[in-house]
Amino acid sequence: MSLRLFTHQLRSEQLLFWRSKEAALFIFLFPLLLFVLLGSVYTGKIYGVPAPQALLSGLIGYGCANTAFAGLAITLVLRREQAILKRLRATPLPASTYVAAMLVSTLLVFALQTAALFCLGRVLYGTPFPTAIGSLILAVIVGSAAFAALGVATASLIRSGEGSSAVVNFILLPMAFLTGSFGPTRHYPSFLRAIGDVLPLKYFVDLVNAIFLKGHAIWTKPLALAILAAWGLGGLLVAVFKFRWEPREG
Amino acid sequence: MSAIVVRGLRKSYGELEAVRGLDFEIEEGEVFGLLGPNGAGKTTTVEILEGYRKRDAGDVSVLGHDPERPGREFRERIGVVLQQSQLWQNITVREMHTMFAGYYEHPRAVDEVIELVGLESKREARVKTLSGGQKRRLDLGLALVGDPDLVFLDEPTTGFDPAARRAAWEMIRSLRTLGKTVLLTTHYLDEAEQLADRVAVMREGVIVRIGTPRELTTTDLEVEVRFRRGGEDVVITTTEPTRVLYELTSEAVARGEELERIEVRRPTLEDVYLTLTGDDTE
Ligand SMILES: Nc1ncnc2c1ncn2[C@@H]1O[C@H](COP(=O)(O)OP(=O)(O)O)[C@@H](O)[C@H]1O
Ligand SMILES: [Mg+2]
């Protein structure tokens, strides 16, 4: 893989992302907006810390699924159905470089968003900056990778461009609710919590909570890491076997 | 040297035999037209040569490569305009060209390509503000920015108004001046006639005629001899116009008559095309 091509494509992906107002707004700004809203509604303590800090932790989870899963899935379906992927395949840009640049670009957006959440929390609600930085960075990378794999898998299963963003959000929003990304789930009925317990976002939020709220290292949550990784691997398998580069023939 | 050699090419989709044994060669620097109605198998053929689809049978060589194993060198040397593709809407014409130029080892200068395809006034315009014809020119620019030796154009002007079509023709003609080999598909007869050095007429997955536009009209097809006699139009269709004219005129001279409005008409390429493609009413 040539580094020149990779950086060229990474720059291109960043240009495409920030130039598209809808993507930049919905993917990057929306979780920040939700944080400002929810932070002003909840008061008192959640999980033994001030409410805004707990909410921030949950919204990192939502941001991850929103960026890496939903954003990537929708982008890929559109690019496939508009024959953009097909057109790119006729150029010397290797598929591996293309995929790598897309993933790193997604990670970059999510990392920026996470940093913005911390700054916003600090300014608006006096939330602390994370102490276990290394663990947090690792968690962000593992989470992005797992949700990106699930995003590519979902894109592979969606057949047409129309309604793809509805389908993706139909998965994303309930998942975020059920896994505590928008606030704690302990008052939910037990069957809802049972559903939440099998979803990957639950385990990513668990990781971030342990790291950011408790200051624990990522290794203190091996089970959550394993379940998240398992979801990611499952997504990867589907992606490898089902991904198409070309639109469906009419 | 041949840029493309195709021998016994076949491709089916399930039961449907889309391409049923094609043979042709395209020389370097030649502009070659695949002409045929919708469903004739043009896109299937072109996309096999571009490396998108796998053939069922036959030998194919494109710039010395088997397109089923397209390496980087192959990608460097081809330029592609797909029958249908939409590109990113929010970046400018120049940014798009720069993006594609970055994929190639030896790209052409971006501004030069933009001028070549006549988009210099739209250099800083976002893609979504371009008209259909301008978007097609952008496609062409992106196909040329890597400075390919061989350019594939799948129905480059379908849906254009006459003025846009003429502009596109000028551009495609300029590819010849650049020394590019061009494989062009079209279902417009005049387009093939105007642009191609040689034309293969396709119908239902086979080539029914191949040759220069001139050769296609000067083969065994019939010629019409028309005149008026006794106030009525007479039309004689024949494959031997010389003999027919001789008989008619010597008879008329012997009787001291004049053959009014006598005229010999060669079939146009359009007549040939309609005959070959089975009077497709398009
Ligand atoms: N991917 C495909 N799957 C199934 N049938 C196809 C596919 N592509 C083309 N066909 C069929 O093959 C025939 C030839 O199509 P195509 O090569 O697109 O012709 P043309 O480009 O000359 O219009 C048509 O009947 C078309 O419906
Ligand atoms: Mg076609």
Side-chain angles (χ1 to χ4, degrees):
Chain A
M1 190 160 85
S2 120
L3 190 64
R4 180 191 71 80
L5 269 177
F6 172 77
T7 47
H8 173 74
Q9 188 56 21
L10 180 58
R11 223 179 295 132
S12 305
E13 289 294 339
Q14 283 290 303
L15 174 68
L16 289 167
F17 180 84
W18 296 104
R19 197 56 77 69
S20 156
K21 294 278 180 307
E22 309 88 77
L25 193 84
F26 202 74
I27 303 288
F28 187 77
L29 278 185
F30 194 59
L32 300 176
L33 263 163
L34 270 179
F35 176 50
V36 173
L37 275 174
L38 292 173
S40 62
V41 172
Y42 282 85
T43 49
K45 294 212 161 199
I46 302 175
Y47 308 138
V49 297
Q53 190 183 350
L55 288 168
L56 199 167
S57 197
L59 282 165
I60 291 174
Y62 172 68
C64 184
N66 189 35
T67 314
F69 166 73
L72 198 59
I74 294 167
T75 306
L76 276 176
V77 170
L78 288 181
R79 287 187 187 177
R80 181 187 69 211
E81 294 306 315
Q82 295 174 343
I84 292 176
L85 297 183
K86 180 175 181 177
R87 179 65 187 83
L88 285 177
R89 240 171 31 105
T91 73
L93 178 69
S96 56
T97 308
Y98 180 69
V99 172
M102 247 192 129
L103 293 180
V104 172
S105 176
T106 304
L107 179 66
L108 209 63
V109 170
F110 174 52
L112 265 175
Q113 181 179 68
T114 304
L117 276 172
F118 283 126
C119 294
L120 208 62
R122 178 64 172 247
V123 170
L124 292 181
Y125 308 112
T127 55
F129 286 125
T131 48
I133 296 275
S135 282
L136 187 74
I137 290 174
L138 261 179
V140 161
I141 292 173
V142 172
S144 303
F147 281 106
L150 290 167
V152 180
T154 305
S156 313
L157 298 177
I158 293 177
R159 292 170 147 254
S160 79
E162 281 143 56
S164 61
S165 74
V167 171
V168 168
N169 279 302
F170 191 77
I171 302 174
L172 172 68
L173 290 173
M175 174 163 77
F177 265 107
L178 294 173
T179 56
S181 306
F182 299 149
T185 59
R186 29 169 204 265
H187 307 299
Y188 288 13
S190 58
F191 78 97
L192 283 185
R193 271 185 301 165
I195 299 174
D197 281 346
V198 297
L199 297 175
L201 188 52
K202 153 101 175 160
Y203 299 95
F204 181 64
V205 172
D206 275 358
L207 281 180
V208 178
N209 282 347
I211 295 164
F212 178 47
L213 306 184
K214 311 245 158 49
H216 291 167
I218 191 169
W219 315 117
T220 60
K221 286 278 184 182
L223 186 65
L225 256 180
I227 295 175
L228 192 59
W231 270 99
L233 282 179
L236 193 64
L237 274 180
V238 174
V240 165
F241 286 106
K242 291 279 184 194
F243 190 73
R244 285 179 295 119
W245 294 92
E246 296 188 18
R248 257 151 56 89
E249 246 45 65
Chain B
M1 256 293 277
S2 294
I4 295 182
V5 182
V6 173
R7 294 273 170 265
L9 178 64
R10 291 180 168 274
K11 172 79 182 175
S12 301
Y13 302 106
E15 293 286 286
L16 177 83
E17 291 184 274
V19 170
R20 302 183 290 149
L22 298 189
D23 296 281
F24 61 91
E25 286 186 27
I26 303 178
E27 295 301 308
E28 272 179 14
E30 189 175 28
V31 178
F32 188 87
L34 269 184
L35 170 67
N38 284 331
K42 303 182 296 296
T43 298
T44 300
T45 305
V46 168
E47 294 204 349
I48 287 171
L49 300 179
E50 289 164 342
Y52 283 118
R53 307 190 192 189
K54 290 205 184 307
R55 59 188 185 269
D56 295 339
D59 293 315
V60 173
S61 161
V62 179
L63 301 172
H65 295 259
D66 180 345
E68 279 190 18
R69 284 182 291 281
R72 170 143 195 148
E73 205 256 347
F74 175 74
R75 303 287 194 213
E76 288 281 351
R77 292 181 62 200
I78 66 165
V80 167
V81 171
L82 295 174
Q83 185 173 336
Q84 265 166 352
S85 72
Q86 277 187 307
L87 291 165
W88 293 284
Q89 303 296 303
N90 292 304
I91 60 175
T92 68
V93 167
R94 192 162 201 291
E95 286 165 339
M96 189 79 99
H97 279 88
T98 307
M99 186 185 297
F100 273 71
Y103 300 150
Y104 296 86
E105 294 282 358
H106 306 289
R108 292 181 81 87
V110 162
D111 288 318
E112 188 187 305
V113 174
I114 294 174
E115 252 162 65
L116 187 70
V117 297
L119 285 175
E120 56 270 41
S121 65
K122 293 285 173 184
R123 212 182 297 261
E124 303 302 331
R126 301 244 176 143
V127 173
K128 64 180 164 202
T129 65
L130 302 182
S131 71
Q134 289 166 339
K135 281 188 179 152
R136 212 60 182 140
R137 288 194 222 175
L138 175 67
D139 287 339
L140 185 60
L142 300 179
L144 296 179
V145 80
D147 201 16
D149 298 322
L150 169 62
V151 184
F152 295 96
L153 307 172
D154 197 356
E155 299 199 8
T157 67
T158 296
F160 281 23
D161 61 42
R165 167 158 306 131
R166 273 177 205 283
W169 286 358
E170 278 314 308
M171 245 161 347
I172 294 166
R173 286 199 188 99
S174 68
L175 297 185
R176 184 200 309 275
T177 344
L178 295 173
K180 310 288 184 204
T181 308
V182 178
L183 172 52
L184 151 98
T185 81
T186 180
H187 57 239
Y188 299 116
L189 179 83
D190 52 343
E191 184 158 298
E193 194 174 12
Q194 288 286 327
L195 297 177
D197 299 314
R198 282 192 308 138
V199 179
V201 182
M202 270 188 93
R203 172 192 177 180
E204 291 171 7
V206 294
I207 292 177
V208 287
R209 191 67 64 88
I210 190 164
T212 63
R214 230 194 137 74
E215 280 166 356
L216 292 187
T217 52
T218 52
T219 39
D220 54 334
L221 270 134
E222 293 164 332
V223 172
E224 282 176 2
V225 179
R226 295 165 171 269
F227 56 94
R228 267 174 100 82
R229 180 161 32 191
E232 289 205 351
D233 282 328
V234 180
V235 180
I236 300 172
T237 10
T238 173
T239 52
E240 299 172 288
T242 316
R243 194 181 52 75
V244 168
L245 276 176
Y246 176 74
E247 284 173 7
L248 278 172
T249 49
S250 49
E251 211 179 298
V253 170
R255 273 187 274 151
E257 277 177 19
E258 185 63 39
L259 290 172
E260 276 175 64
R261 298 187 192 176
I262 185 158
E263 173 181 34
V264 181
R265 209 178 138 260
R266 283 224 154 273
T268 62
L269 188 50
E270 183 157 4
D271 299 328
V272 178
Y273 179 59
L274 291 178
T275 315
L276 292 176
T277 57
D279 276 315
D280 209 89
T281 45
E282 246 200 328

